Amino acid sequence: GIRERHIAGPGETNLTMSVAAARQALDVADLTPKDLGLIIVATSSPDHFLPSVASEVQYHLGAECPAFTLTAGCTGFVYALATAHQFIAAGAYDRILVIGSEVISISVNWEDRDTCVLFGDGAGAVVLEASSQPGGVQSFVLGSDGSGAGYLIVRGGGCAYPISHEMIEDKAMYIEMNGREVFKFATRVMEEATLQAIDRAGLTLNDIDLLIPHQANLRIIELAARHLDLPMDKIFVNLDRYGNTSA
């Protein structure tokens, strides 16, 4: 279901894309960086292991707040959104900037057709603010199943398989995916999580006007839509233009 993707150009990094997206979000919210209480960046492709890209974003924006990076793969943005919601609901912070940013292309083996056709680079940001008005995050569902770790993995570069000549010759710094297993997992879990989130919000499927799923694969989205008995005109799809941009 992918027609085109966008790849970071020379000089573009996770940091530069995060900052650009953040500035646009702040402009829309009519806020300045100094209005922020916290910054959360969700990414699996930071510029460096150290320092945290969130701290660099905070500095380059000119913000004066804490910041941290959250890594949860393609679910990173949802995890970051739920985390920010909890900080606000607990009264810790009034305004939180949430960024999802990925430069997946650095981990793509362009000779591996199972993965290289899928992924694109991109960043997006939202500002969450405490409010007495009805609305906001009405529910969330988070999950994890580490038993399938090997189905979508970058084996090299971490402490389990450190950088070495052998690692590079093994091409272990690239994304490896068992597409069949990921497909089976994704279609099942997307349906389950959708129904759980709707139920926790005290709603029914008939109350939903628009479903915005993770943009991984059009077949996954279409199958989940059939299982949920939702027409495709109620489901947001833009992966034809951007590919899978992970978090």
Side-chain angles (χ1 to χ4, degrees), residues 68-81:
F68 67 89
T69 301
L70 183 155
T71 301
C74 292
T75 57
F77 185 81
V78 173
Y79 266 81
L81 190 71

Side-chain angles (χ1 to χ4, degrees), residues 9-77:
E12 285 187 302
T13 67
N14 194 300
L15 171 62
T16 64
M17 292 199 306
S18 293
V19 169
R23 285 177 174 152
Q24 290 180 42
L26 288 167
D27 285 345
V28 172
D30 195 23
L31 296 171
T32 72
K34 289 183 171 56
D35 293 321
L36 297 172
L38 177 67
I39 297 171
I40 305 174
V41 179
T43 186
S44 296
S45 54
D47 291 358
H48 317 282
F49 284 121
L50 290 172
S52 162
V53 69
S55 292
E56 292 188 277
V57 170
Q58 175 257 334
Y59 169 73
H60 282 272
L61 285 176
E64 299 173 350
C65 63
F68 67 89
T69 301
L70 183 155
T71 301
C74 292
T75 57
F77 185 81

Side-chain angles (χ1 to χ4, degrees), residues 19-229:
V19 169
R23 285 177 174 152
Q24 290 180 42
L26 288 167
D27 285 345
V28 172
D30 195 23
L31 296 171
T32 72
K34 289 183 171 56
D35 293 321
L36 297 172
L38 177 67
I39 297 171
I40 305 174
V41 179
T43 186
S44 296
S45 54
D47 291 358
H48 317 282
F49 284 121
L50 290 172
S52 162
V53 69
S55 292
E56 292 188 277
V57 170
Q58 175 257 334
Y59 169 73
H60 282 272
L61 285 176
E64 299 173 350
C65 63
F68 67 89
T69 301
L70 183 155
T71 301
C74 292
T75 57
F77 185 81
V78 173
Y79 266 81
L81 190 71
T83 301
H85 165 66
Q86 290 296 96
F87 271 117
I88 290 174
Y93 301 108
D94 289 334
R95 295 190 187 97
I96 301 178
L97 175 67
V98 175
I99 304 169
S101 182
E102 300 282 16
V103 188
I104 297 294
S105 58
I106 63 167
S107 299
V108 168
N109 179 356
W110 296 101
E111 298 175 354
D112 178 9
R113 293 285 298 176
D114 289 338
T115 57
C116 73
V117 299
L118 302 175
F119 296 102
D121 300 334
V126 296
V127 178
L128 276 69
E129 184 176 56
S131 173
S132 60
Q133 300 298 314
V137 179
Q138 297 186 43
S139 73
F140 60 86
V141 174
L142 304 178
S144 181
D145 182 358
S147 66
Y151 296 148
L152 185 56
I153 190 171
V154 176
R155 292 182 294 119
C159 62
Y161 196 173
I163 296 171
S164 64
H165 288 295
E166 178 189 359
M167 187 215 80
I168 294 171
E169 289 168 0
D170 192 22
K171 297 185 176 180
M173 63 286 201
Y174 294 130
I175 293 171
E176 300 172 11
M177 182 174 71
N178 182 326
R180 185 181 299 275
E181 292 299 328
V182 171
F183 182 88
K184 288 193 298 185
F185 175 80
T187 50
R188 175 177 60 83
V189 173
M190 187 180 291
E191 178 188 1
E192 291 175 358
T194 300
L195 294 174
Q196 289 172 17
I198 291 170
D199 182 64
R200 289 184 185 182
L203 303 170
T204 70
L205 202 55
N206 291 330
D207 297 315
I208 302 303
D209 297 314
L210 184 66
L211 172 67
I212 307 177
H214 172 53
Q215 306 290 304
N217 177 308
L218 185 59
R219 288 174 57 227
I220 291 174
I221 294 172
E222 288 174 339
L223 189 58
R226 284 205 299 274
H227 288 171
L228 291 166
D229 197 26

Side-chain angles (χ1 to χ4, degrees), residues 1-6 117-119 218 237-244:
I2 298 169
R3 288 188 292 107
E4 62 183 74
R5 293 155 298 158
H6 300 260
V117 299
L118 302 175
F119 296 102
L218 185 59
V237 176
N238 71 357
L239 90 159
D240 56 320
R241 289 172 284 147
Y242 301 108
N244 180 350

